[in-house]
């Protein structure tokens, strides 16, 4: 512990420092002359150390009293300050979330749920631009009919060899056939699909709205959709969504309208389709599927033929 002592005619100041505390004592009354040497009032400030103030390095009696008094004052002041400036914590309400937590929650929502889209919104053109903004415009809708040659190509009956049958019995026309019909009616480059919204990706499907434009006129607007099974399949699903929208837009032009006619579907299934039992070659699971009569079962399935029971044996189960 070290102590510094300053004294003038009308006041005295003592600074005491220990390893853990620091105390200052100020007094306006002069100490007793019996314990201190006389200091000239006109002399400049005197710096003294308590370690050498008495013979043998022992502190003076007045120094001990001052150190004891200043230590008590310092501790009392510290306790008073802790009581006065301590912030009350009696509130039962939880603290408001910080900005970092809120941002983390928003990022988690955007990562887990892509319903807001893939960020591929169509470009919005300037209102003063000459070109048509197909993302919002309905320019040329129902203004006049197409030419006779285009109408004949669009309304031509679908060839029976072009119709396919899904395993669940649904008949459909492959999307490439729709493009061939449009190319025959308007010519390559005279028609196209314009996106009218952002691609929306849900947990299992992709959807987007498209507009079919032919010869500079809006023909139809439809929303396509396509399922997917893993995130790696999203790009393929986006392309399938576009083809699905094209098929739905072509309904307004009368392309392959027979495939939405229930009587035509029943007649085609009865005349050109069949239902067969197949077996999966790896899992050995069996099920019924629909297929065209002129098609063959493809891998990994094969035609399932039930084996006949051996002679002399009964098929009746015994209990």
């Amino acid at each position: 512990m070290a102590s510094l002592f300053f004294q003038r005619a009308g006041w005295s100041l003592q600074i005491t420092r220990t390893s853990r505390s620091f105390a200052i004592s100020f007094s306006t009354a002069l100490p007793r002359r019996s314990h201190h040497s006389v200091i000239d009032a006109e002399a400049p400030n005197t710096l003294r150390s308590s370690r050498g103030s008495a013979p043998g390095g022992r502190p003076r009696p007045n120094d001990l009293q001052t150190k004891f008094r200043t230590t008590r004052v310092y501790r009392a002041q510290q306790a008073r300050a802790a009581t006065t400036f301590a912030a009350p914590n009696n509130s039962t309400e939880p603290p408001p979330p910080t900005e970092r937590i809120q941002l983390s929650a928003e990022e988690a929502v955007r990562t887990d749920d892509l319903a807001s889209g893939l960020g591929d919104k169509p470009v919005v053109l300037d209102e003063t631009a000459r070109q048509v903004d197909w993302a919002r415009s309905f320019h040329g809708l129902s203004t006049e009919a197409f030419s006779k040659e285009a109408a004949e190509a669009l309304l031509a009956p679908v060839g029976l060899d072009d119709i396919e049958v899904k395993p669940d019995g649904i008949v459909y026309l492959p999307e490439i056939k729709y493009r061939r019909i449009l190319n025959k009616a308007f010519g390559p480059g005279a028609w196209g699909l314009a996106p009218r919204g952002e691609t929306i990706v849900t947990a299992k499907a992709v959807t987007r709205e498209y507009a079919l434009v032919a010869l500079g006129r809006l023909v139809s607007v439809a929303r396509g959709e396509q399922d997917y099974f893993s995130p790696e399949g999203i790009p393929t699903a986006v392309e399938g969504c576009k083809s699905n929208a094209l098929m739905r837009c072509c309904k307004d032009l009368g392309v392959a309208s027979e495939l939405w006619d229930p009587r035509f579907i029943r007649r085609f299934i009865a005349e050109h389709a069949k239902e067969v039992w197949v077996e999966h070659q790896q899992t050995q699971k069996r099920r019924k599927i629909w297929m065209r009569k002129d098609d063959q079962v493809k891998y990994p399935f094969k035609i399932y033929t039930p084996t006949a029971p051996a002679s002399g044996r009964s098929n009746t189960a015994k209990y």
Side-chain angles (χ1 to χ4, degrees), residues 41-60:
E42 300 298 331
N45 293 344
T46 305
L47 178 62
R48 298 181 180 181
S49 175
S50 62
R51 294 181 178 178
S53 60
R58 293 175 297 177
R60 299 174 181 271

Side-chain angles (χ1 to χ4, degrees), residues 120-125 133-135 194-198 208-209:
D120 55 353
K121 292 182 179 180
V123 178
V124 179
L125 302 179
D133 184 6
W134 294 115
R196 294 178 68 91
E198 188 177 2
R208 192 178 193 183
E209 189 178 54

Side-chain angles (χ1 to χ4, degrees), residues 5-205:
F5 185 79
F6 298 89
Q7 181 176 345
R8 291 300 296 270
W11 55 270
S12 61
L13 176 66
Q14 183 174 0
I15 303 175
T16 305
R17 181 179 65 82
T18 63
S19 60
R20 295 186 179 181
S21 62
F22 184 82
I24 301 176
S25 177
F26 179 80
S27 177
T28 57
L30 292 174
R32 297 179 182 179
R33 293 181 179 274
S34 58
H35 298 289
H36 297 277
S37 59
V38 179
I39 300 177
D40 187 4
E42 300 298 331
N45 293 344
T46 305
L47 178 62
R48 298 181 180 181
S49 175
S50 62
R51 294 181 178 178
S53 60
R58 293 175 297 177
R60 299 174 181 271
N62 189 47
D63 294 341
L64 296 176
Q65 296 177 4
T66 304
K67 295 174 184 177
F68 178 73
R69 182 175 65 252
T70 55
T71 302
R72 288 190 304 170
V73 173
Y74 174 75
R75 292 179 178 177
Q77 292 176 351
Q78 294 294 325
R80 190 182 306 109
T83 306
T84 304
F85 297 101
N89 194 16
N90 298 328
S91 178
T92 58
E93 298 181 359
T98 61
E99 183 178 359
R100 180 178 180 182
I101 296 177
Q102 293 177 356
L103 292 178
S104 299
E106 294 175 0
E107 293 174 357
V109 170
R110 288 195 297 267
T111 303
D112 298 337
D113 186 10
L114 298 177
S116 59
L118 293 180
D120 55 353
K121 292 182 179 180
V123 178
V124 179
L125 302 179
D126 189 5
E127 295 293 343
T128 60
R130 292 186 177 182
Q131 61 268 32
V132 181
D133 184 6
W134 294 115
R136 299 179 298 176
S137 176
F138 292 88
H139 173 74
L141 183 64
S142 71
T143 54
E144 61 178 341
F146 290 109
S147 64
K148 182 178 180 180
E149 294 77 8
E152 291 178 354
L154 295 172
L155 301 178
V158 179
L160 297 180
D161 292 339
D162 296 334
I163 301 176
E164 300 292 340
V165 181
K166 292 184 178 181
D168 54 1
I170 297 178
V171 296
Y172 70 99
L173 190 67
E175 54 86 16
I176 190 61
K177 304 293 179 65
Y178 288 96
R179 287 176 165 83
R180 290 176 181 174
I181 294 174
L182 293 176
N183 288 333
K184 183 178 180 181
F186 305 115
W191 66 273
L193 284 177
R196 294 178 68 91
E198 188 177 2
T199 303
I200 299 176
V201 181
T202 62
K204 296 181 180 180

Side-chain angles (χ1 to χ4, degrees), residues 281-293:
Q281 299 185 27
Q282 297 179 355
T283 62
Q284 308 301 322
K285 291 184 178 180
R286 308 180 185 94
R287 64 168 181 166
K288 277 187 176 182
I289 63 170
W290 284 93
M291 57 183 300
R292 289 178 59 103
K293 291 182 179 180

